[in-house]
């Protein structure tokens, strides 16, 4: 017996589809909420929409301010599957991940209400919440911050030319400060 399902499942094989199917079942039959820590690309996959159906529109997301890092399993070694271990790191962040959430019972949404989410994490889609949380609230995939969107997200648009020029200038200035040179000049 449990009140809320919270998990970080294996990301390989058919695990994702099976888990989403199970979560749909517990949300519709048992009215149980769930929070799943999944890769950023899951919501763009065909199986996500296929398995969840209409329920996908009632999902919301809690996105961290920065990437989560993971400690590779003990069977992963330097030179065999982990570029991070090759570089001497003990943890890795191969892709962004965030929380895929569903409130469970839609008639009595008292456990996780939209009002509470806004009070706790700020309005949906807010890039830099003024709240003291390390998570950002996204009511739908279009509100997921750009740096966490899946590669095939249709909302993932290229920045306008002015924004790209500004970003390039900031990268050059950061490189200048870090390395003391700019384009080979000292």
């Amino acid at each position: 017996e449990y009140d809320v399902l919270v998990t970080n499942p294996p990301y390989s094989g058919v695990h994702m589809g099976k888990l989403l199917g199970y979560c749909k079942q517990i949300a519709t039959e048992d009215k149980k909420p769930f929070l799943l820590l999944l890769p950023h690309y899951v919501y763009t996959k065909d199986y996500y929409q296929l398995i969840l159906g209409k329920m996908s529109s009632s999902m919301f997301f809690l996105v961290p301010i920065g990437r989560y890092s993971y400690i590779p399993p003990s069977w992963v070694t330097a030179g065999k599957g982990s570029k991070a271990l090759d570089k001497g790191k003990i943890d890795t962040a191969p892709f962004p991940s965030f929380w895929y959430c569903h409130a469970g019972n839609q008639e009595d949404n008292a456990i996780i209400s939209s009002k509470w989410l806004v009070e706790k994490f700020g309005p949906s889609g807010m890039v830099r919440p003024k709240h003291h949380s390390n998570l950002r609230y996204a009511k739908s995939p279009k509100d997921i911050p750009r740096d966490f969107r899946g590669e095939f997200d249709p909302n993932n648009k290229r920045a306008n030319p002015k924004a790209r020029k500004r970003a390039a200038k900031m990268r050059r200035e950061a490189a200048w400060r870090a390395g003391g040179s700019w384009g080979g000049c000292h």
Side-chain angles (χ1 to χ4, degrees):
E1 190 63 29
Y2 62 93
D3 295 319
V4 178
L5 174 65
V6 179
T7 188
N8 176 11
Y11 298 155
S12 60
V14 296
H15 294 106
M16 217 63 80
K18 286 183 176 183
L19 177 66
L20 290 172
Y22 177 73
C23 288
K24 181 178 181 178
Q25 178 187 340
I26 65 165
T28 53
E29 294 175 13
D30 303 334
K31 311 295 187 211
K32 302 271 183 166
F34 59 84
L35 293 92
L36 311 172
L37 183 58
L38 302 176
H40 71 302
Y41 56 79
V42 171
Y43 73 95
T44 67
K45 296 292 187 181
D46 292 337
Y47 63 77
Y48 180 79
Q49 197 62 251
L50 184 69
I51 293 170
L52 294 179
K54 288 184 206 172
M55 190 174 139
S56 66
S57 64
S58 59
M59 297 286 290
F60 64 94
F61 310 93
L62 295 176
V63 184
I65 299 296
R67 278 186 176 199
Y68 289 132
S69 295
Y70 300 93
I71 297 173
S74 58
W75 54 267
V76 174
T77 60
K80 290 197 175 185
S82 177
K83 291 178 184 174
L85 292 178
D86 287 343
K87 295 176 184 174
K89 297 179 180 179
I90 59 170
D91 59 2
T92 182
F95 44 75
S97 54
F98 52 84
W99 295 95
Y100 290 66
C101 311
H102 191 272
N105 187 345
Q106 293 303 304
E107 294 89 45
D108 179 21
N109 206 359
I111 294 174
I112 305 173
S113 70
S114 294
K115 183 180 177 188
W116 178 82
L117 287 165
V118 171
E119 288 172 4
K120 182 74 177 164
F121 303 109
S124 179
M126 187 174 218
V127 176
R128 299 189 199 294
K130 293 177 176 67
H131 297 69
H132 300 289
S133 172
N134 288 328
L135 294 171
R136 298 171 281 186
Y137 166 53
K139 187 175 181 177
S140 70
K142 70 176 179 50
D143 294 333
I144 294 171
R146 180 182 302 275
D147 54 335
F148 277 83
R149 288 187 183 161
E151 182 180 356
F152 299 107
D153 183 335
N155 299 308
N156 218 358
K157 296 180 184 170
R158 186 175 179 195
N160 69 42
K162 268 188 172 177
R164 291 195 314 268
K165 188 175 181 179
R166 193 170 42 247
K169 181 181 177 187
M170 289 171 61
R171 284 192 303 271
R172 285 192 305 271
E173 288 173 353
W176 171 259
R177 286 190 298 275
S181 66
W182 194 342
C185 301
H186 290 280

